[in-house]
């Protein structure tokens, strides 16, 4: 058996039915810390370790895109010290992981309001994104100062400006045109959206793009989320019947599913 086949067999994953894009709402860092009588920042630090292991397993099983909701437009309203700690952690992650990401052929990208991020985080991001820009094995896409509604407003403004300049007629605005003006224009839509910590909300994450995604909710708090639980979700995904609103006719009995 080849090393490749062996790898998928080990996890019980069918390589022909992999999700292309997995998106994760990493929730529960604060509650994890509280349970351990630690401060919230310690929860985020532990959360960064979980990020490392989920990136590793995604690369191993050949997921094309992993989007992580690392900081939302709403997160700016958190206490100043927590926002500063999260920004520092992000920069630390980018600086410390860049070589390892590059060696694994992983390209770093981001979606969201880059201009709102502190200059040092932007510099680290820009450096890491250009360093890894040609990598093709996987895309690690960080959602930073990201909000789905803000993204749609941003896209509508760009489209309206084209219409005003006569570069686009309003009748030619299609779903495709809208998708092409979102931050995610170069990425496939997410096939799986995962949220940890027991909450069952989308919280303004990839609102347009997750129209046909499969959803996975777990009570596990993000710092405790493991590669094993992730693999179980991928297997569950592979057992689901994705119809995209269509009916599937069985060749045996003519019935519709
Ligand atoms: C939500 O948990 C988590 C966040 C707002 C931040 C996520 C950040 C990390 C996992 C670490 C840094 C990220 C990277 C990519 C290195 P919460 O604080 O809302 O938890 P709670 O709901 O239990 O309070």
């Amino acid at each position: 058996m080849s090393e490749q086949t062996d790898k998928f067999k080990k996890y019980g994953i069918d390589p022909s039915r992999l999700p292309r894009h997995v998106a994760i709402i990493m929730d529960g860092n604060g509650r994890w810390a509280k349970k351990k009588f630690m401060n919230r920042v310690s929860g985020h630090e532990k959360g960064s370790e979980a990020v490392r292991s989920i990136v590793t397993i995604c690369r191993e099983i050949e997921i094309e895109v992993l989007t992580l909701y690392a900081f939302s437009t709403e997160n700016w309203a958190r206490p100043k010290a927590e926002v500063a700690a999260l920004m520092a952690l992000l920069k630390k992650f980018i600086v410390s992981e860049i070589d390892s990401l590059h060696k694994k052929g992983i390209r770093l990208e981001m979606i969201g309001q880059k201009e709102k991020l502190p200059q040092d985080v932007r510099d680290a991001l820009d450096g890491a994104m250009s360093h890894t820009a040609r990598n093709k094995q996987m895309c690690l896409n960080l959602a930073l100062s990201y909000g789905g509604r803000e993204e749609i407003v941003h896209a509508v403004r760009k489209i309206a400006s084209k219409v005003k300049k006569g570069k686009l007629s309003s009748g030619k605005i299609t779903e495709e045109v809208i998708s092409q003006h979102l931050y995610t224009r170069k990425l496939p839509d997410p096939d799986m959206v995962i949220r940890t910590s027991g909450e069952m909300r989308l919280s303004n994450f990839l609102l347009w793009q997750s129209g046909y995604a499969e959803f996975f909710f777990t009570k596990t708090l993000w710092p405790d989320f493991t590669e094993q639980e992730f693999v179980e979700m991928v297997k569950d995904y592979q057992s689901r019947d994705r119809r995209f609103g269509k009916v599937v006719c069985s060749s045996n009995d003519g019935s519709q599913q």
Side-chain angles (χ1 to χ4, degrees):
M1 195 185 306
S2 78
E3 221 174 274
Q4 284 295 88
T5 330
D6 213 17
K7 173 173 79 179
F8 291 109
K9 200 148 192 192
K10 174 173 93 180
Y11 294 119
I13 288 176
D14 174 358
S16 70
R17 299 189 65 207
L18 284 171
R20 291 183 69 195
H21 182 173
V22 177
I24 308 184
I25 304 173
M26 309 180 290
D27 197 10
N29 294 348
R31 275 161 286 167
W32 181 92
K34 195 171 176 195
K35 261 176 49 182
K36 301 217 159 3
F37 306 101
M38 294 160 99
N39 60 36
R40 295 180 55 81
V41 174
S42 309
H44 296 313
E45 281 168 358
K46 193 72 186 164
S48 298
E49 290 174 28
V51 167
R52 239 171 256 130
S53 67
I54 298 307
V55 170
T56 304
I57 185 70
C58 282
R59 171 68 186 84
E60 189 181 353
I61 64 167
E62 300 174 18
I63 300 294
E64 275 177 52
V65 185
L66 171 66
T67 296
L68 298 176
Y69 204 6
F71 196 88
S72 72
T73 45
E74 291 74 25
N75 287 155
W76 291 114
R78 290 191 176 201
K80 253 186 166 176
E82 185 174 343
V83 170
L86 273 168
M87 290 298 144
L89 253 182
L90 274 166
K91 183 178 161 188
K92 187 173 159 202
F93 175 86
I94 295 164
V95 171
S96 66
E97 294 303 304
I98 193 61
D99 285 341
S100 150
L101 295 175
H102 189 51
K103 274 195 196 113
K104 291 178 184 155
I106 301 174
R107 187 172 75 255
L108 186 73
E109 290 187 12
M110 65 105 28
I111 52 172
Q113 304 164 299
K114 191 160 81 171
E115 69 286 356
K116 292 244 164 109
L117 301 173
Q119 189 63 49
D120 60 333
V121 176
R122 253 154 54 193
D123 291 344
L125 258 177
D126 285 338
M129 289 194 298
S130 62
H131 189 57
T132 60
R134 281 190 292 277
N135 292 344
K136 297 270 185 311
Q137 299 299 323
M138 180 179 135
C139 166
L140 171 60
N141 181 36
L142 299 181
L144 299 172
S145 191
Y146 173 86
R149 289 183 177 180
E150 188 283 327
E151 178 183 37
I152 292 169
V153 169
H154 186 254
V156 168
R157 285 201 182 125
K158 285 201 287 183
I159 294 169
S161 150
K162 286 186 183 169
V163 171
K164 196 173 165 201
K165 288 180 188 153
K167 289 184 179 164
L168 180 69
S169 80
S170 60
K172 291 246 161 72
I173 301 173
T174 58
E175 289 186 16
E176 185 57 29
V177 168
I178 293 176
S179 295
Q180 284 307 315
H181 287 82
L182 297 174
Y183 296 130
T184 49
R185 62 190 158 276
K186 292 187 194 138
L187 305 174
D189 283 344
D191 301 296
M192 291 175 68
V193 173
I194 298 172
R195 183 172 190 148
T196 57
S197 91
E199 309 291 347
M200 299 208 203
R201 292 185 291 276
L202 207 41
S203 296
N204 208 8
F205 187 46
L206 300 177
L207 297 179
W208 173 275
Q209 300 87 337
S210 52
Y212 282 101
E214 295 292 327
F215 287 85
F216 297 81
F217 297 102
T218 172
K219 289 205 166 77
T220 305
L221 303 173
W222 175 253
D224 290 329
F225 191 65
T226 58
E227 301 188 358
Q228 290 75 12
E229 188 167 5
F230 178 76
V231 166
E232 287 312 311
M233 286 179 177
V234 173
K235 289 201 275 187
D236 182 349
Y237 166 85
Q238 297 194 319
S239 72
R240 294 191 190 181
D241 182 19
R242 299 185 81 199
R243 292 192 296 267
F244 299 95
K246 299 176 184 129
V247 280
V248 179
C249 297
S250 154
S251 54
N252 299 335
D253 59 11
S255 67
Q256 293 183 326
Q257 297 173 330

